[in-house]
Amino acid sequence: MPFIPHTEKDTREMLQTIGVNSIDDLFDEIPTELKIDQLEHVPGALSEMEVSRFMKQRAKIDGSPMCFIGAGAYEHHIPTAVWDIATRGEFYSAYTPYQAEASQGTLQVIYEYQTMITQLTGLDISNASLYDGASALAEASLMAVRINRHVKSGRVLLAPGVNPIYEQVASAIAGAQGLTFERLPTDITTGNVDFDLLPKDSDPVAVVLQQPSYIGTLDDVNRLTDWAHANGALMISVVNPISLALLKAPGHWGSEGADVAIGEGQPLGIPMSSGGPYFGFMTCKKKYARQMPGRIVGRTTDLDGNLGYALTLQAREQHIRRSKATSNICTNQGLMVTAATIYMSLLGYEGLVNVAKTCHHNTALLADGLSAIDGVERLFEGPFFHEVALKLDRPISSLLEILANRNILAGLDITSFVGSDALLICATETKTQEDIEVFITAFSEAMASVNTNSA
Amino acid sequence: MPFIPHTEKDTREMLQTIGVNSIDDLFDEIPTELKIDQLEHVPGALSEMEVSRFMKQRAKIDGSPMCFIGAGAYEHHIPTAVWDIATRGEFYSAYTPYQAEASQGTLQVIYEYQTMITQLTGLDISNASLYDGASALAEASLMAVRINRHVKSGRVLLAPGVNPIYEQVASAIAGAQGLTFERLPTDITTGNVDFDLLPKDSDPVAVVLQQPSYIGTLDDVNRLTDWAHANGALMISVVNPISLALLKAPGHWGSEGADVAIGEGQPLGIPMSSGGPYFGFMTCKKKYARQMPGRIVGRTTDLDGNLGYALTLQAREQHIRRSKATSNICTNQGLMVTAATIYMSLLGYEGLVNVAKTCHHNTALLADGLSAIDGVERLFEGPFFHEVALKLDRPISSLLEILANRNILAGLDITSFVGSDALLICATETKTQEDIEVFITAFSEAMASVNTNSA
Amino acid sequence: MNSHVKSELIFDKSRNGRRAFAQAPNAVKASKIPSKLMRNDKPRLPEVSEPQTVRHFTRLSQLNFSIDTQFYPLGSCTMKHNPRACNALALLPEFAGRHPLGPISHGQGFMSCMFELQEMLKDVTGMKGVSLTPMAGAQGELAGVAMIKAYHEARGDHERTEIICPDAAHGTNPATAMMCGCQVVEVPTGPEGDIDFDALKLAVGPKTAGIMLTNPSTLGVFERRIKDVADLIHGAGGLLYYDGANLNAILGKVRPGDMDFDVIHMNLHKTFSTPHGGGGPGSGAVGVNDRLLPFMPIPIVGSKQVEGKTLYDWLSEDDLPQSIGRLSGFMGNAGVLLRAYVYMRMLGCDGMKRVSEFATLNANYLSSKLQEAGFELAFPARRASHEFIVTLKHEARSLNLTAMDFAKALLDKNYHAPTTYFPLLVPECLLIEPTETESKETLDNFVTAMIEIATAAKKGVEFKDAPYTMPVRRLDDVKAARQLDLAYQPE
Amino acid sequence: MNSHVKSELIFDKSRNGRRAFAQAPNAVKASKIPSKLMRNDKPRLPEVSEPQTVRHFTRLSQLNFSIDTQFYPLGSCTMKHNPRACNALALLPEFAGRHPLGPISHGQGFMSCMFELQEMLKDVTGMKGVSLTPMAGAQGELAGVAMIKAYHEARGDHERTEIICPDAAHGTNPATAMMCGCQVVEVPTGPEGDIDFDALKLAVGPKTAGIMLTNPSTLGVFERRIKDVADLIHGAGGLLYYDGANLNAILGKVRPGDMDFDVIHMNLHKTFSTPHGGGGPGSGAVGVNDRLLPFMPIPIVGSKQVEGKTLYDWLSEDDLPQSIGRLSGFMGNAGVLLRAYVYMRMLGCDGMKRVSEFATLNANYLSSKLQEAGFELAFPARRASHEFIVTLKHEARSLNLTAMDFAKALLDKNYHAPTTYFPLLVPECLLIEPTETESKETLDNFVTAMIEIATAAKKGVEFKDAPYTMPVRRLDDVKAARQLDLAYQPE
Ligand SMILES: Cc1ncc(COP(=O)(O)O)c(C=O)c1O
Ligand SMILES: Cc1ncc(COP(=O)(O)O)c(C=O)c1O
């Protein structure tokens, strides 16, 4: 009984107090024919020693390749203090702070987080987190519908650079409420919005722009934001928090600023760990506070007049409003937000700038080096942050396999998204000049060993 | 300035308050000719990211071989909770509990530790730790001199199975006070004390018996203890705490019990980490409390009459008694004791018994398997706990090298100690049946590939 | 912590130019990004040193109650011990460092764990398929209802848009139904805590898409006529959704699949002990029976034999063309799934059963003791499941001692309060879930604390101003919602 | 923590047959050990579950003050920030799992760190050789004095058995001298905190083995005539020992070797920020000049070139036949050494200098502010080093407010007290060492707290009963020593 403290004596006494003979008697209201005897596909218990060894063997299979993939999840240095503190029992094993007085630690952390993320995005208020960046787009779209109630089209227009997975997730979640997601036209030289071909009279609920885009490009955020507002749409930004150390904050896009900003919080101190747990962040203009999904922490005072923190605006939420809630979200990604708050504190603005610049610098180095290889060129003109799409004249899957065998994850094959053989690469601050050189050399060797597409 | 919070403004203001112009001015009492400009052999700073990567590369060089070495440091399963809790900032970054009221956590842990270690050794009182098992022998010997003040010989008699390193350390530390360490005669078939040849009129200060011995044997603790007492000597036990789940506790050796028990605490939840930090434990009969070296925690009451914990018997210690102190020890191995206390709590008596029995069982399996190989036999007759010395007819260094190349650390070469080609092996509970088989096979292959000594 | 010490905000410690220098690279040359895309304001992140940061957040942590420090009998939340090994093993560097889009050649270790987790969860729920991607209970519900809808749609059954929920249902159930574009039909609870079967019959009809139930219900009692309910709903063409938040009550004893549920979500952060983290992350893996297999959310880990070896790969749109789609950017809360996997392996098949056995034992013991001490149980005639309800309606009336007051008074006794005011239908209720990992002594001490509070109240002690010993006194929730202060304004 | 919650002992939670089942293997068949060697009593270890253990020790931890939670200006102890990375990297599985007797083929990574640590420490101290094996400051002292003795012995100088210590010396210095079989000759301190040079001249003679000094001294001031002292001692045939506990004051600025010291120990757990752990582990690496090289304690890491590659190996008796020998079972507190190594690499050469600069800045700032606030400095005419002394002799007399009372009052203000009653020669003293990692605001707030206490005392507030807000009130030390209760007796 690994985690159960009961002695036989305890059990005996407890049964006696209850007035039954056996634990099985406690299940007497359950129809006998439903009961099972034995789980058949759950193996026997392993001790912690056994399971540790076993998991280490499993982990070893996956190895620790050098990773140049980005595409929504990024390898960054995470200060040791972040998880040392976030996994302290008091954070790690607490529940959602329903009893505010006994949860001031978690609540104050969230209040600080909300402050930091509004500062980064340049918007007024933030919630306490959503599941991840992709589902945050679904929530933001539904929020746009609630805010933009007079627009009945249900049409959300996505810039060409919005992560295709985000689109899929948003459709899966928000589709049931009649939302449709459509792409704005692409300028194929830049990969960005083709402003000349923007639809007229499309009556959009919202326009979504991802900056930097999924394919690594940077778009004219001001122009599209103003266009959205001119067309009666809410402007939703999808942003990478690290990039906001350098790039214009959504709150300052266009003449009025974006209305809602969302994104994937993972770059802020969360390990990549196969895709989660991460967290979605969401900020918006203050006037939309009551349409926001998710938990929100507010500062208030106690009986003595001292400051304190509590969950607030709960009337938006499922446990109060039930079928009229702004969302069904309940448990969010609290611990990740704790980690991100510690991360942002340790980095500070200047630290984030240095991280962002180093990412940009490394990716530029890498893109330049790879573009110098015969058969490799940049897919799009224009500026980028820390990801670049490359056009290749060889089959990407073969290249990726060769490099994976050399323990290099060379990037993500985005051929199916862009429609021609293309590779999306990323080099964060974790890569040294030497790493980049190793990669370029390996890449050019791989290129040399594979036939061109035409051949 | 990685860990320094001063802004330029802070520094300016602080200098102004002090009334100097620069930080350098603060060093104006130091003769100029002594000052240096630059450290020449300390490289430039690495960021946490850089040093992490660098240290991981260094660690990788050492690898994670399968280890069958014991000889004073043992690989055991350490529950994750042990170090998760011990490295909580409040334990990790506190000082020695000088301000008792603000250190009740550490103090209570030590009190609990003292209780557990007295229970394990069957003696009355314990100190809060010494540096390690080896230096604890030095302290125990010096303590014996203080207790046995009428014995002037300075002679400490060591059973044949006392760890030779412990002897060296004890000599290095206690030699200056006139102590000499001498070996009792050995019965070469058992490796134990040859009772027929025990010295007469040797006037020993103390007799030291290590159980289980360095060479894996188990001696007749009762007989030697009684002999020591009959000869006016203090009896000092050197014991492995895990073995005490099975083996007779020092407090019950012979008719009166050993007087002092010491040992290496490492097996109680401390990683092997190249030899330290570990901790030495020491327990003794109550009447010797005032001769004990090191910190001791006592339970007392506070102004309200509530129970609390504080350092006590400080009049023995260097900060009070200075040159008349029982020892110069000040900082001890507090954090290790915290870990050990958590370890002992998680294991409990029954858990320790299971660990001990599994170690014994695995070592028996291994010894049997290896002894079945041509040219391998047990060096000594008689029982063992979790180490066994093997006699080999091939040069051990070659065997060890071959196996190390296969990532197996096959044991410790104790040839120089026992005077013939001998290997000391150990298999703790961390080894599976499969591991043991792998080792046996590899060993027999290695044997086959090396010429016998005679050849 | 010292509760009298004021908690500063991290921003109060901020000073221009201060930072934790070891944590970022040195500056590199300016970027090549056009200035019109660059930001020209300076976001006010805290500018603090590493020691300040460590101290600030360490001290903040100490202001929390948590499972690692207090008994936390929060009903419906399953606050049980979170084994530390689960965390350590999920964070092994290869797992923590694995990019979600890495090739399967560098993911067979992780994927094998996920595959086996799917298999174990099937067994535990009695279901035929499991998808691990939902990121919390509510998202699992969303996946479930979406599958139910997809099922009806695929059969051309377009009118089925009603989801039946008992009035005791957790708020996420109706909220989820709404998000899936359904209407909610609420049915009342009978006097003994079972669903009002007659009312249910009336609620069922041709528009019924399905029913969302948890069994045992949020009232802490087992729905005895579950088979009848299933027959009724199925007979009407609807499907049955099992809200797995209460799986801890029946683990290894009864399986939702065997009760004829068609789909279930599990809260791995409850039953399988992944930490709640002060509000997540969770994981709401879903299990389905044959009917709903084609609709499962992707990705799912599949396995095939290649050259005599098992190869794990991702099942995607191509494999499940009828899938309701993707619910997360990658693979749900993968690291949470790993933690649950480790936990399940440590429990083993026998350990699973013991979970529900001892959770039930603890709940029944505690309810017996409290009843004996004079507290009123909401369903005194019923066996408690893993949780049970005390109603303080008498105390509220005669002593002016509400459930809220009681909860705050418990904080001063160093116990986290049970869930209050849920389920909504029981007045002044405390929903108490001790879980299997608490000892008899803890339960006994908790009973003593409950009695002490009640006794004090009877003697005239007021608890309106409780708590007294927490870092803050009772907080003004109304002010929090009226005078919104949701982010610090650095001057 | 809630200070009003009684702390139970872990033994109070113990019940027959309870345990943390996941943490030990299942029982195997009985052993083959003869029964007369077996134990037949049952040691009373706690029998507790895993959740209980986690909760118990987590809550105990919360009862502590620590650097991670409080300002901890404990003079002479250098309570500075302990970077978390140092711990994590020292515990990398390959390092944590390395057997100390493993072959050097599986230790080059670890050994290269140790070798480089030796080299850096040589540079930092201005010494010619470094041995890392001593396990704390006091053992470093023992190594040092033993080397001094060995040096004299090797020269046939058998009569040199006196060690000179200033009266301000830390207790370990005289205690060490005694352990090394020497006699201690104490010399007084002059009015300005330097050693009384005339008294020193009288103390020196043909029996002088050496002198133990720390510079700056434990009085917080730099020994200005250090060169004269060195010349005097060396002229008399003695050697100079540097107690490196105060190295934080001069790191990268002045080197003991350049001051003509012959041997030094360093407290890596002070200057190089390895954690104090509630009382250790420490590390007392020793550095020596040419004279003492042959006598260094073993093992030491050596390096040689083999086939163009650097190979690290252990220097042992064979390499240093005159060595004073071994002081630990293996290689000292190896894991502490790794932490110090990582810390030094993170500081780099410039960071070293900044340590002493900002430690000194903080101490001088704090002493200025306190003096301004009316506190009396023990050596007002002197520059503070990294620490300084306030004497409360007036307050003790006029207000009946002793250094002890003041210390306890500070605890109630959430500050750890400075070192009290050391050095012994300054009456009612507080030895205050802020360290470089504390911010100006923290120092300012500390000054405010000091002033508040003094002001309250002047208004007649008594602090004899302080502290009030800690988990316990002031403890009865006399009772602790008289009625010895050193281990719980489980009835
Ligand atoms: C009965 C019930 N259903 C559903 C949920 C929702 O789960 P989650 O919070 O993981 O979204 C909860 C959790 O509070 C619950 O108790
Ligand atoms: C001046 C001085 N010397 C020596 C020591 C002894 O060091 P350790 O405690 O590491 O043995 C100390 C530590 O308290 C000290 O402050």
Side-chain angles (χ1 to χ4, degrees), chain A residues 95 330-331, chain C residues 76 136-138 141 170 172 218 243 245 265 267 269-270:
Chain A
Y95 203 76
C330 177
T331 292
Chain C
S76 206
E141 295 175 30
H170 193 262
T172 49
T218 59
D243 175 342
H265 89 260
N267 294 52
H269 47 305
K270 296 180 178 178

Side-chain angles (χ1 to χ4, degrees), chain B residues 6 28-29 36-37 41 58 62 88 94 101-102 106 108 111 119-120 132 246 273-274 300 302 322 332, chain D residues 8 39 44 61 64-65 96 98 109 116 123 169 253 277-279 329 353 362 382-383 408 473 476 485:
Chain B
H6 299 63
D28 55 5
E29 291 189 356
I36 54 165
D37 236 29
H41 302 289
R58 288 264 164 112
D62 294 353
R88 285 173 56 84
E101 297 86 355
T106 291
Q108 186 175 329
Y111 181 84
Q119 286 291 328
L120 268 184
D132 72 352
L246 298 180
S273 57
S274 292
T300 181
D302 72 2
R322 302 178 71 85
N332 55 33
Chain D
E8 283 189 321
R39 93 181 281 158
R44 298 295 202 89
S61 79
N64 272 358
F65 275 27
R98 189 176 170 276
E116 291 168 14
D123 194 18
K253 286 274 164 184
K353 231 192 277 195
N362 273 2
R382 298 295 307 273
R383 192 69 82 198
K408 302 301 180 194
R473 300 285 307 284
D476 188 342
D485 174 358

Side-chain angles (χ1 to χ4, degrees), chain A residues 314-332:
Chain A
Q314 298 192 62
R316 300 163 300 112
E317 291 190 67
Q318 45 73 31
H319 60 291
I320 308 281
R321 203 51 142 291
R322 300 178 73 85
S323 68
K324 298 197 177 58
T326 53
S327 166
N328 69 340
I329 193 170
C330 177
T331 292
N332 56 32

Side-chain angles (χ1 to χ4, degrees), chain B residues 151-166:
Chain B
V151 180
K152 301 293 178 199
S153 72
R155 197 175 291 134
V156 177
L157 301 179
L158 307 179
V162 172
N163 186 330
I165 302 281
Y166 282 32

Side-chain angles (χ1 to χ4, degrees), chain A residues 229-370:
Chain A
H229 287 146
N231 284 268
L234 233 73
M235 184 66 196
I236 299 174
S237 315
V238 181
V239 283
N240 174 322
I242 299 280
S243 77
L244 291 179
L246 297 180
L247 299 182
K248 184 164 279 189
H252 303 130
W253 288 9
S255 48
E256 293 170 41
D259 301 287
V260 179
I262 59 134
E264 177 53 67
Q266 177 271 333
L268 298 172
I270 315 297
M272 296 194 293
S273 55
S274 293
Y278 299 167
F279 70 93
F281 59 84
M282 175 182 268
T283 60
C284 69
K285 293 180 178 164
K286 187 156 188 184
K287 59 184 169 188
Y288 304 136
R290 287 180 164 75
Q291 294 308 334
M292 216 184 221
R295 313 256 183 233
I296 300 178
V297 169
R299 184 156 67 166
T300 183
T301 48
D302 73 2
L303 278 179
D304 292 339
N306 290 321
L307 292 174
Y309 305 87
L311 292 173
T312 192
L313 294 180
Q314 298 192 62
R316 300 163 300 112
E317 291 190 67
Q318 45 73 31
H319 60 291
I320 308 281
R321 203 51 142 291
R322 300 178 73 85
S323 68
K324 298 197 177 58
T326 53
S327 166
N328 69 340
I329 193 170
C330 177
T331 292
N332 56 32
Q333 306 286 116
L335 195 66
M336 306 295 127
V337 157
T338 304
T341 307
I342 303 171
Y343 177 85
M344 287 188 272
S345 302
L346 282 172
L347 272 286
Y349 169 63
E350 211 186 313
L352 273 191
V353 166
N354 290 0
V355 169
K357 283 190 175 168
T358 309
C359 289
H360 178 65
H361 179 78
N362 284 347
T363 301
L365 269 184
L366 183 58
D368 289 351
L370 292 177

Side-chain angles (χ1 to χ4, degrees), chain B residues 95 330-331, chain D residues 76 136-138 141 170 172 218 243 245 265 267 269-270:
Chain B
Y95 203 78
C330 176
T331 292
Chain D
S76 206
E141 295 176 30
H170 193 262
T172 48
T218 59
D243 175 341
H265 89 261
N267 294 53
H269 47 306
K270 297 181 177 176

